[in-house]
Amino acid sequence: MKSPGLLGHLATRLTSQSENLATEALCYVLQTSAAATAGFTAMLRKAADIPEELRFDTQASSDADAGIPDIVGYDAGGGTRVLLEAKFWAGLTKNQPVTYLERLPAVGDGVEGLLLVVTPSLRVDLVWAELHERCLAAGLQLGGASGFGEFRWIHVGGRVLGIISWRVMLEHLQDAATAGDDLVARANLGQIAGLCELMDAEAFIPLGPEELSGALPRRLVQYDGILSKVVDRLISDGTAKSKAANGTGLGRSAGTMWWGRSFAISGVTCLLSIDAQLWGYRRYTPFWLRIGYLQPSRTDRVLDRLNELQTDAERVVIVGKGDIFVAIDTPTGVEEATVVKSMVAQIVRIKDLLKPLDASGGPVMGAV
């Protein structure tokens, strides 16, 4: 088995400090390697209009909610131009990203600032979607998105919000260090990469005592109850049918990391499920509607009808060989009846979007 390196070794023993280890190590490289720093700022300049020369420093805090970013990039005059927030598996704090964005200069000030969130590759899509949602909830205007894959950015209220994976960022810095013949920096970056690979591949996140209490299983039971109430409501009001087109009865199904109930809408067999994989890595909701469950896929036709939903990051997800899943979002801070009503309304909207296909003749997805 490949050794994760010194930092990776320490992280297995200091599980609560892995993000701090990576942050301090990265800042050390940016403070001691001109080649790596030049490569880093050149990469950031693809996203934002920032100076070629920046000075980086960490801002330590013992309070996770204190609103202090992990690394700050200052220009020659001491102005803050870059805020970097390093994540492995911790969630966003209440200050991220809105409070951080507000600390940066905007284009109207004659300069531009960048907030960059660094995450494991597996979390890029999920965190990017949550960053969008938080900005919209705060009333911030989003511009056009740029970049792709594991490095992307968007203008938000005159500032720039970006996300990048540890893997892509460290590969870029290692290339810059190599080009600058800075072997020490490359070795140090290799240590950080070893830690990040360990975090990316780590299948088990150490348990906290709160996870072993009865709260989690009770909540899962409640989720299952909500799912059943939503499907029952859809069938009782005529939105959905409990049988497929050929008369086959539809009901409960379960698989690896998911369970749910199937029904038919607009000539399509669907499955409303609680899906741990999609919930954990694609969008923050346990509920997912699989369109075309147990049917041959006609992905292109269905995606065309769901086009308006695809403007919302990670709302429509393609899995495997064309399986289509739509996230069914849940409001927070409200009673169960309001959650059920919201979810039913979202599925009714999806049915309406699929109706033209149903009316065009022939099966939407294929016969069950």
Side-chain angles (χ1 to χ4, degrees), residues 50-176:
I50 58 175
E52 293 184 3
E53 295 186 4
L54 293 173
R55 175 179 59 85
F56 293 94
D57 202 357
T58 57
Q59 290 195 352
S61 171
S62 59
D63 183 358
D65 291 324
I68 297 179
D70 292 325
I71 295 178
V72 181
Y74 301 98
D75 59 25
T80 299
R81 303 300 295 276
V82 174
L83 298 178
L84 185 147
E85 185 63 24
K87 296 289 185 185
F88 283 136
W89 297 106
L92 297 176
T93 71
K94 63 184 180 182
N95 299 290
Q96 299 164 354
V98 176
T99 301
Y100 286 9
L101 286 168
E102 291 173 347
R103 296 179 183 179
L104 291 166
V107 173
D109 302 324
V111 293
E112 193 169 62
L114 167 68
L115 168 61
L116 183 68
V117 180
V118 189
T119 76
S121 298
L122 289 174
R123 291 193 73 195
V124 168
D125 289 333
L126 182 63
V127 175
W128 191 232
E130 186 181 9
L131 290 169
H132 278 229
E133 290 177 5
R134 290 191 176 199
C135 289
L136 291 172
L140 298 180
Q141 184 175 359
L142 303 185
S146 302
F148 58 90
E150 296 178 21
F151 181 31
R152 52 187 98 159
W153 57 90
I154 189 170
H155 281 81
V156 182
R159 302 166 177 89
V160 180
L161 171 64
I163 193 167
I164 192 169
S165 70
W166 282 100
R167 182 186 65 81
V168 168
M169 181 184 70
L170 291 172
E171 285 180 355
H172 189 91
L173 292 179
Q174 286 176 307
D175 288 343

Side-chain angles (χ1 to χ4, degrees), residues 158-363:
R159 302 166 177 89
V160 180
L161 171 64
I163 193 167
I164 192 169
S165 70
W166 282 100
R167 182 186 65 81
V168 168
M169 181 184 70
L170 291 172
E171 285 180 355
H172 189 91
L173 292 179
Q174 286 176 307
D175 288 343
T178 300
D181 198 28
D182 191 338
L183 300 183
V184 173
R186 181 169 179 85
N188 289 334
L189 290 164
Q191 290 288 333
I192 305 174
L195 168 59
C196 295
E197 287 174 9
L198 180 66
M199 294 297 104
D200 250 347
E202 191 174 53
F204 182 78
I205 301 171
L207 292 171
E210 69 282 356
E211 296 177 85
L212 300 178
S213 71
L216 178 59
R218 286 198 298 271
R219 180 62 80 184
L220 289 175
V221 170
Q222 291 176 341
Y223 286 155
D224 187 73
I226 289 172
L227 185 150
S228 292
K229 290 176 182 178
V230 169
V231 176
D232 289 343
R233 178 80 59 82
L234 291 169
I235 293 174
S236 66
D237 67 15
T239 299
K241 298 180 180 180
S242 59
K243 293 185 178 181
N246 64 0
T248 301
L250 302 171
R252 281 192 170 269
S253 301
T256 304
M257 293 183 285
W258 65 265
W259 75 90
R261 283 180 61 183
S262 55
F263 51 88
I265 57 172
S266 294
V268 184
T269 300
C270 297
L271 174 80
L272 181 62
S273 65
I274 296 170
D275 193 305
Q277 189 78 12
L278 295 175
W279 181 12
Y281 295 107
R282 303 306 291 265
R283 189 177 174 97
Y284 287 140
T285 177
F287 301 105
W288 292 80
L289 184 69
R290 180 174 175 180
I291 300 177
Y293 179 61
L294 299 178
Q295 292 175 301
S297 177
R298 290 299 304 275
T299 305
D300 53 344
R301 296 181 65 196
V302 174
L303 286 180
D304 182 62
R305 296 307 311 165
L306 299 178
N307 183 60
E308 72 174 51
L309 300 180
Q310 296 178 63
T311 60
D312 192 358
E314 294 299 303
R315 183 73 190 277
V316 180
V317 175
I318 309 300
V319 177
K321 297 181 179 180
D323 295 327
I324 302 172
F325 290 81
V326 180
I328 305 300
D329 294 328
T330 55
T332 58
V334 297
E335 296 293 332
E336 181 188 65
T338 303
V339 174
V340 172
K341 181 178 179 181
S342 172
M343 291 175 62
V344 168
Q346 292 174 66
I347 296 174
V348 169
R349 179 55 183 155
I350 293 170
K351 176 183 179 179
D352 291 341
L353 292 174
L354 295 176
K355 271 183 180 179
L357 290 176
D358 187 31
S360 65

